[in-house]
Amino acid sequence: IPMNAPFFPTCQIGDFQVTALSDGDMSVSLDLLSGIAAADAAAIQRQAGMTEPGNIHINGYLIRGRGRTMLVDAGTGGLNNAGGQLKARLAASGVNHNDVDSVLLTHCHPDHIGGLLDAEGRPVFEHAKLFLHPLEASHWRDDDKLKKASAHGQRNFRLARQTLDAYAENVRFLSADNIAEGITPVWLPGHTPGHCGFRIDADERSLLIWGDIVHYPHIQTAQPAVTILFDADPAQAEDTRKRILAQAVRENLLIAGMHLGPRGFANIVRNDTGYAIAWPDELR
């Protein structure tokens, strides 16, 4: 890493160094949440120190080790005037976009795949294999779902299809053994049908990059039943969130998430009413 590189939250899990790359924020509204009053949601956000309670922060993650350079999700690419900082952060962490050999996708929403294509619709990571769950690809290729989607939703379908077409010869479907030894995909359905996390296991600790298990981490850990309009199957997303929060506590997992905030990594702790985010000492 260059001597003058800015600080990026980084942790070492066995042979792999994992770095959180902030893509910036997207301006949305707490009104998109179900299962909580907007005023109560805003109070939780303010208590957690959020000056813009409705904003959602976006991360991607860089994984380096064993001769590999992998990126988990690619941010927005600046679509819809949101985010768009990930490629510059990647460069600032000493990685050229041509160095990336694999992009692991949690799912195909625009704030995760927008950074995969340039302004001309060409692949940004032209030397990379693109990994995703087969159910994710079939979801975005489903013409019936496209027809039923809102105008906004149809734009999302078109972007997903355009992206998968541009990377077509490099698209790979996830299986237990095709990423790298020590890194396994974890199916976390609900937010989308093929929504996935990526788990890195080492002797001393394990990390789960859990994708979009939460969009507002403080709200949805305190009240795991709270869902967001972006969830394809809100009930399934809620079930998955509750299961993963319990597992994170039980196994003392280090968590990374696309909307966890700029610190990038957290532990989950249980409290009287639900769960809470705990920032590890090394990352405070």
Side-chain angles (χ1 to χ4, degrees):
I1 294 178
M3 288 297 289
N4 60 350
F7 170 75
F8 296 116
T10 298
C11 64
Q12 189 76 28
I13 309 287
D15 292 338
F16 294 104
Q17 186 188 65
V18 185
T19 303
L21 300 176
S22 171
D23 189 53
D25 290 319
M26 57 180 174
S27 174
V28 287
S29 167
L30 293 171
D31 295 332
L32 299 180
L33 295 173
S34 297
I36 190 171
D40 295 339
I44 292 173
Q45 289 290 84
R46 278 195 286 271
Q47 198 174 353
M50 304 292 166
T51 50
E52 299 283 347
N55 276 6
I56 293 177
H57 183 264
I58 304 162
N59 285 321
Y61 290 85
L62 174 65
I63 305 174
R64 286 177 282 192
R66 298 190 183 174
R68 301 288 300 277
T69 302
M70 296 170 275
L71 186 62
V72 186
D73 289 352
T76 69
L79 293 175
N80 306 318
N81 299 314
Q85 300 169 20
L86 187 138
K87 192 176 174 191
R89 300 271 161 96
L90 188 66
S93 62
V95 176
N96 183 288
H97 58 95
N98 287 323
D99 299 334
V100 176
D101 61 67
S102 306
V103 179
L104 316 180
L105 290 181
T106 62
H107 64 298
C108 290
H109 279 154
D111 54 315
H112 303 261
I113 66 167
L116 290 176
L117 300 180
D118 65 18
E120 282 75 47
R122 292 184 304 246
V124 169
F125 303 101
E126 50 194 315
H127 301 304
K129 302 272 190 288
L130 196 64
F131 289 89
L132 76 162
H133 195 288
L135 286 176
E136 191 66 11
S138 58
H139 170 72
W140 297 104
R141 295 278 191 207
D142 187 321
D143 287 336
D144 286 337
K145 287 182 176 173
L146 168 64
K147 287 193 193 90
K148 290 175 184 159
S150 65
H152 173 78
Q154 290 190 357
R155 283 199 300 275
N156 292 355
F157 271 87
R158 283 195 290 272
L159 177 66
R161 292 176 180 204
Q162 181 191 5
T163 304
L164 293 176
D165 287 347
Y167 282 87
E169 63 197 41
N170 285 319
V171 170
R172 302 290 181 272
F173 292 130
L174 289 162
S175 67
D177 57 1
N178 66 359
I179 301 174
E181 190 183 340
I183 304 180
T184 47
V186 183
W187 185 44
L188 303 170
H191 180 55
T192 62
H195 180 250
C196 249
F198 298 94
R199 181 170 173 146
I200 308 179
D201 288 297
D203 292 340
E204 66 280 9
R205 61 177 173 177
S206 296
L207 168 71
L208 176 63
I209 302 174
W210 72 8
D212 283 10
I213 290 291
V214 298
H215 288 76
Y216 293 102
H218 297 284
I219 296 169
Q220 290 177 289
T221 52
Q223 300 187 33
V226 172
T227 60
I228 195 163
L229 189 67
F230 308 135
D231 291 333
D233 184 334
Q236 189 181 43
E238 178 186 337
D239 287 346
T240 295
R241 179 165 41 258
K242 288 175 174 174
R243 176 172 59 82
I244 291 300
L245 286 167
Q247 183 182 354
V249 172
R250 188 172 66 245
E251 299 183 20
N252 192 29
L253 297 175
L254 186 63
I255 293 296
M258 281 48 206
H259 306 302
L260 202 55
R263 285 191 260 198
F265 301 92
N267 291 112
I268 305 300
V269 294
R270 203 185 284 279
N271 59 23
D272 296 342
T273 53
Y275 300 89
I277 298 284
W279 306 111
D281 289 340
E282 71 205 87
L283 301 167
R284 283 202 172 115

